[in-house]
Amino acid sequence: MNLSPLKRLELIRLINALPDPEFDEMAFALNPRGGIVPPSEAAQGRRGKALLEWVEGPTGCGMAAFLELFNAIASGKFEPASLISHPKPHAPASAVTLKQTASPQSQPVAPSSKANPSLTLALGFGVSLELVYIPGGRFWMGSPKTEEGRDIYQLFNKSLTNVEGPQHEVTVPAFYMGKYLVTQRQWRAVSLLDNVGRQHLPPNPACFRGNNLPVEQVNWHGAVEFCKHLSSHTRQHCRLPSEAEWEYACRAGTNGPFYFGETISTEQANYRGTDDEFRGQTLSGAYGKGKLGIYREKTTVVGSFSANDFGLHDMHGNVWEWCQDVWHDSYEDAPVDAGAWITAGNQGRRTIRGGSWGNNPKFCRSASRYNRSVKYRFFNIGFRVCCTAPQEQATTPRLSP
């Protein structure tokens, strides 16, 4: 099989980015006798190009067989028993294709139970993305005027006096939401899909590298484009959450500052649990009656902390999450149907939710909200995916403000 020049370049970059143990494991599996990549080229960062030249050469295993092995290693599903102990003839192009087409694996997986149905999307290359079902219901969006941290925004702009208000009741239809933040492995798999007409996605944008760490340094346009690639590949309607959907999913039936309760600890989420000085003020690493904690100074593997009652992880901290909505300084005239609010407001800025590893707990509350330019990339902003679900009558009990 032949790769397009763009896909070949992406693959070379991915090979170069592999940690040394994984690269060595792959090279040994391809040819235990060694000699695939000259040490000088490996040391100078040219091992990806050298490896592909061997793969496609007269003694190589062929691109199809190589992609099968590379995908197994990159997805963490490589088994030593699958070692390729000698060069093989070039495999037919149909064995492994870089262009992914829809298959039964791309469709919803049968729910594990009526209480906890889920949706699993096959991204190709042995990688999948799991979404949990969020039942429809109604809730009070925003925070009461008495909630600690509600005035935190005035540190940046004195005019931001009611960012989390007025509280208003919102009706939310059922939908699916990513169980975890989108990981670097998932981003990389989608970036390699051959979606004709779609914008190119850089395969490794993150600052903190790790397959199961959340992808970050992705701007709003990149997050939206990821969802479009995913929709094209899976035939599902994949998108970012609306701000109302995000808060409803985060609260999961609660109405306090956090889905854990009235306070939070660094044993429950990844945020800055130590005091910080900002513009002459001390931002506490503790919240309410809680205690100070630790400051990890980086992202953590998705799912490292317990989920809320909807089964969602990392809704407080780790990385901020992009939403569809245009930024508005308050909820005056906000929609009450949970749809994305994309009229008026500051059209060049979109909403982010959840706080991050670098923020104190006031920024990580369920009601906390902020904004960034649609072009902004930083190592504390990522996202998670939502999908449209068959609609049902709202059954979640109403919560009082």
Side-chain angles (χ1 to χ4, degrees):
M1 66 181 295
N2 295 320
L3 299 181
S4 68
L6 179 59
K7 292 301 177 185
R8 182 182 179 83
L9 181 60
E10 289 177 356
L11 188 56
I12 288 173
R13 289 174 178 170
L14 289 173
I15 295 170
N16 286 335
L18 280 175
D20 288 342
E22 292 184 14
F23 177 83
D24 292 342
E25 181 180 44
M26 179 171 61
F28 179 80
L30 289 168
N31 186 2
R33 292 191 294 271
I36 295 178
V37 180
S40 60
E41 296 198 357
Q44 295 177 32
R46 296 198 297 263
R47 63 189 187 183
K49 180 179 180 181
L51 181 60
L52 289 192
E53 288 175 350
W54 177 87
V55 165
E56 297 174 314
T59 62
C61 63
M63 185 58 71
F66 169 71
L67 284 176
E68 186 173 16
L69 178 65
F70 176 78
N71 296 335
I73 289 177
S75 65
K77 296 183 177 181
F78 173 70
E79 297 292 341
S82 66
L83 288 177
I84 302 174
S85 59
H86 56 82
K88 294 184 177 180
H90 287 269
S94 60
V96 178
T97 58
L98 194 60
K99 181 178 180 180
Q100 301 296 306
T101 56
S103 68
Q105 288 182 312
S106 299
Q107 304 307 314
V109 172
S112 56
S113 69
K114 291 183 179 180
N116 186 31
S118 64
L119 173 69
T120 299
L121 303 179
L123 310 185
F125 312 106
V127 182
S128 62
L129 190 154
E130 183 179 359
L131 302 96
V132 298
Y133 180 76
I134 309 298
R138 290 173 292 182
F139 82 114
W140 285 89
M141 186 174 182
S143 66
K145 294 181 179 180
T146 56
E147 184 168 300
E148 179 184 340
R150 196 178 193 269
D151 60 351
I152 192 73
Y153 312 97
Q154 294 181 56
L155 285 172
F156 311 104
N157 188 331
K158 293 295 184 182
S159 68
L160 298 178
T161 58
N162 196 28
V163 171
E164 297 172 14
Q167 278 189 286
H168 56 292
E169 190 178 41
V170 179
T171 300
V172 183
F175 64 102
Y176 288 99
M177 188 177 224
K179 183 176 183 178
Y180 309 106
L181 295 156
V182 172
T183 66
Q184 293 172 39
R185 174 179 290 166
Q186 291 166 339
W187 173 276
R188 189 164 59 242
V190 171
S191 77
L192 286 171
L193 296 175
D194 193 7
N195 286 322
V196 177
R198 295 260 61 92
Q199 177 185 332
H200 169 66
L201 297 174
N204 289 300
C207 171
F208 304 106
R209 295 297 179 87
N211 281 337
N212 294 318
L213 291 176
V215 68
E216 16 86 4
Q217 295 196 138
V218 174
N219 64 23
W220 184 82
H221 289 303
V224 170
E225 192 63 28
F226 177 95
C227 293
K228 290 179 179 179
H229 279 251
L230 196 56
S231 295
S232 177
H233 173 61
T234 63
R235 298 184 181 178
Q236 299 290 328
H237 179 205
C238 303
R239 55 180 175 79
L240 295 177
S242 72
E243 195 176 357
E245 287 175 328
W246 191 97
E247 185 171 328
Y248 175 76
C250 177
R251 291 187 179 280
T254 66
N255 57 10
F258 308 96
Y259 58 73
F260 298 111
E262 293 300 313
T263 190
I264 193 171
S265 77
T266 51
E267 294 179 354
Q268 296 171 312
N270 181 21
Y271 63 92
R272 181 169 188 149
T274 59
D275 292 345
D276 185 26
E277 296 294 324
F278 183 78
R279 296 183 179 178
Q281 296 192 39
T282 299
L283 302 180
S284 177
Y287 185 90
K289 296 181 179 179
K291 299 179 180 180
L292 293 173
I294 62 174
Y295 181 28
R296 296 178 176 88
E297 303 186 54
K298 60 183 180 180
T299 58
T300 48
V301 171
V302 300
S304 295
F305 304 97
S306 59
N308 67 9
D309 286 347
F310 281 156
L312 301 171
H313 295 261
D314 293 317
M315 297 296 282
H316 298 308
N318 216 359
V319 293
W320 288 95
E321 302 179 33
W322 286 113
C323 293
Q324 292 185 51
D325 302 51
V326 168
W327 174 251
H328 296 78
D329 289 348
S330 76
Y331 288 134
E332 293 289 346
D333 301 320
V336 295
D337 61 355
W341 193 7
I342 57 175
T343 57
N346 189 331
Q347 291 289 321
R349 304 179 80 84
R350 299 284 171 153
T351 305
I352 53 176
R353 301 295 298 253
S356 80
W357 57 268
N359 296 114
N360 76 67
K362 289 181 180 180
F363 286 104
C364 300
R365 294 171 297 114
S366 299
S368 175
R369 55 193 296 263
Y370 201 56
N371 68 92
R372 288 298 183 191
S373 162
V374 293
K375 298 180 180 180
Y376 186 81
R377 291 184 176 91
F378 205 52
F379 53 22
N380 67 352
I381 302 180
F383 67 102
R384 72 179 72 216
V385 172
C386 286
C387 283
T388 303
Q391 298 308 310
E392 61 179 22
Q393 185 175 358
T395 57
T396 301
R398 292 176 60 177
L399 298 174
S400 300

